[in-house]
Amino acid sequence: MSLRRFQLPSAALVAMLLVSCTRTPMPVIADVDSDYDDMVSLAYLCQEHQRGNLRLAAVTVTNSGAGLPGKALRHARCVLEACGVKNIPMADATPITPNAFTPMMREGINGILSNVFSECTASAESTPKQAPQLLAEVALASPEPVTVVATGPLSNLAAALQAEPTLQEHIARTYIMGGTVSVPGNLCCGVPEGFDNTQEFNIFVDPPAAATVLRSLPAGSVSLVPLDATNQVPLTRAYAQRLAEQASASGAARVVSAIANHPNILMGIDLGRLYWWDPLAAMAALHPEVVTFQTQPVEVVSEGASAGRTRAAESGQSTRVGMGANAQRFEDLLLESLTAQP
């Protein structure tokens, strides 16, 4: 008996193969503190949301980091407005933390972003629902486990995990910009004396929260993108110029170019102090090849001169730790994303 009668027409076969290969974009919750690089990472995630490579399920904002209460949430809203992404659940929270970004840093960041978003119409009004509650609700309601991209102090995520004991089961992966393992910390700009600069700012602000996150989430599910990796991706004037040349490509591109070419950012570039900290962590969620990860047990020092330090220790939680990064690949992927048409 001939088998020809059972063969599908080529068009139908192609259609079936396409359907079988279709994947549901992974749901992502972005937890930010609205530093300038948080806004770049959020613009990147918004662009990837529009390209169908992820689904931005929620944005939560902690006011314990670089951003000021109210202003931090407004600036995050401004990014979404500029990118044309609507109806994304958002919430903020103002937790009490052991340490803080210095007033000099916070006022400087607020000044830069206020300039960048001077024409933004988004509100600075805080949300009735607190960020940890929204984070937990969105993750618990998601049809599939979410990916959390946390680019500020971990206060929101820690509070959500403590409030919802089963939340960890609904988080597939967590990418954290924070910590430093084998390179010096980045404390500066008026941090009180008594700390030994083995810390990175995000973890330094709330060491107990960071420790809670590492202990609570399943071993191996957390990818830490520390200074060891981000030191490999500095901001440069050459790349800022490339961004300026492509600024008209999308709303996200305009935001990122405006930030990278702000006079105060260019000054920081010339001083060699600025890096693509948060965007590298966000990109690693989609393109893990941009970061060289090693799995090792990590713990957070909770008190003393090293409070907030992340270090390798046998008693620590198994964590994927970024020890290097591919700067060229990062820059190419970011520009490709910002200039892509959804």
Side-chain angles (χ1 to χ4, degrees):
M1 178 172 59
S2 173
L3 295 178
R4 183 175 297 276
R5 57 182 291 196
F6 295 103
Q7 292 180 344
L8 290 169
S10 58
L13 180 58
V14 170
M16 287 183 64
L17 289 172
L18 287 174
V19 170
S20 67
C21 292
T22 300
R23 60 180 179 83
T24 302
M26 68 176 181
V28 172
I29 297 175
D31 184 48
V32 306
D33 71 335
S34 294
D35 202 336
Y36 79 86
D37 54 326
D38 286 88
M39 300 300 90
V40 174
S41 66
L42 188 54
Y44 169 74
L45 293 174
C46 286
Q47 192 73 351
E48 292 303 303
H49 170 89
Q50 292 187 310
R51 297 177 73 189
N53 293 328
L54 59 84
R55 177 174 64 83
L56 190 58
V59 177
T60 53
V61 179
T62 177
N63 296 320
S64 65
L68 297 170
K71 299 295 182 64
L73 181 60
R74 175 181 180 270
H75 293 153
R77 286 170 171 156
C78 288
V79 172
L80 269 61
E81 178 182 288
C83 296
V85 176
K86 301 179 180 180
N87 302 318
I88 304 296
M90 301 183 72
D92 67 342
T94 308
I96 297 173
T97 57
N99 303 307
F101 278 71
T102 67
M104 178 192 305
M105 297 176 70
R106 302 185 86 187
E107 292 294 343
I109 293 301
N110 180 66
I112 291 170
L113 295 180
S114 293
N115 290 160
V116 169
F117 297 122
S118 60
E119 298 182 3
C120 171
T121 61
S123 169
E125 185 177 354
S126 188
T127 54
K129 183 175 293 185
Q130 292 288 289
Q133 180 184 355
L134 177 66
L135 193 159
E137 287 182 357
V138 170
L140 293 172
S142 177
E144 60 181 296
V146 302
T147 294
V148 175
V149 176
T151 55
L154 296 173
S155 313
N156 285 339
L157 182 54
L161 287 164
Q162 290 173 323
E164 294 288 347
T166 65
L167 179 59
Q168 62 172 334
E169 301 170 12
H170 298 264
I171 299 177
R173 293 172 298 278
T174 303
Y175 289 83
I176 297 169
M177 190 284 119
T180 179
V181 177
S182 61
V183 300
N186 64 350
L187 301 187
C188 70
C189 316
V191 168
E193 295 182 3
F195 297 102
D196 61 11
N197 197 35
T198 58
Q199 307 94 330
E200 177 277 329
F201 255 110
N202 283 345
I203 307 301
F204 166 75
V205 168
D206 199 346
T212 294
V213 168
L214 290 184
R215 285 196 310 266
S216 301
L217 293 172
S221 70
V222 173
S223 297
L224 193 68
V225 182
L227 300 183
D228 307 70
T230 60
N231 284 355
Q232 308 295 316
V233 286
L235 273 77
T236 66
R237 278 187 174 263
Y239 193 64
Q241 179 60 36
R242 290 177 65 191
L243 291 168
E245 292 169 357
Q246 300 292 333
S248 63
S250 67
R254 284 191 293 274
V255 167
V256 176
S257 175
I259 291 172
N261 288 282
H262 188 279
N264 290 1
I265 295 293
L266 293 175
M267 185 185 305
I269 289 174
D270 291 341
L271 292 172
R273 295 180 178 176
L274 300 183
Y275 300 84
W276 294 111
W277 292 291
D278 298 344
L280 183 64
M283 186 177 289
L286 280 174
H287 297 280
E289 74 276 8
V290 299
V291 177
T292 302
F293 286 105
Q294 297 177 4
T295 299
Q296 53 185 292
V298 175
E299 69 175 10
V300 179
V301 178
S302 61
E303 57 187 15
S306 298
R309 177 184 178 186
T310 49
R311 64 185 179 191
E314 290 185 4
S315 60
Q317 177 74 303
S318 179
T319 305
R320 298 174 72 236
V321 179
M323 301 303 292
N326 185 329
Q328 187 64 58
R329 177 71 171 154
F330 167 83
E331 290 184 348
D332 290 346
L333 284 171
L334 180 58
L335 201 58
E336 175 190 304
S337 175
L338 295 175
T339 58
Q341 298 302 310

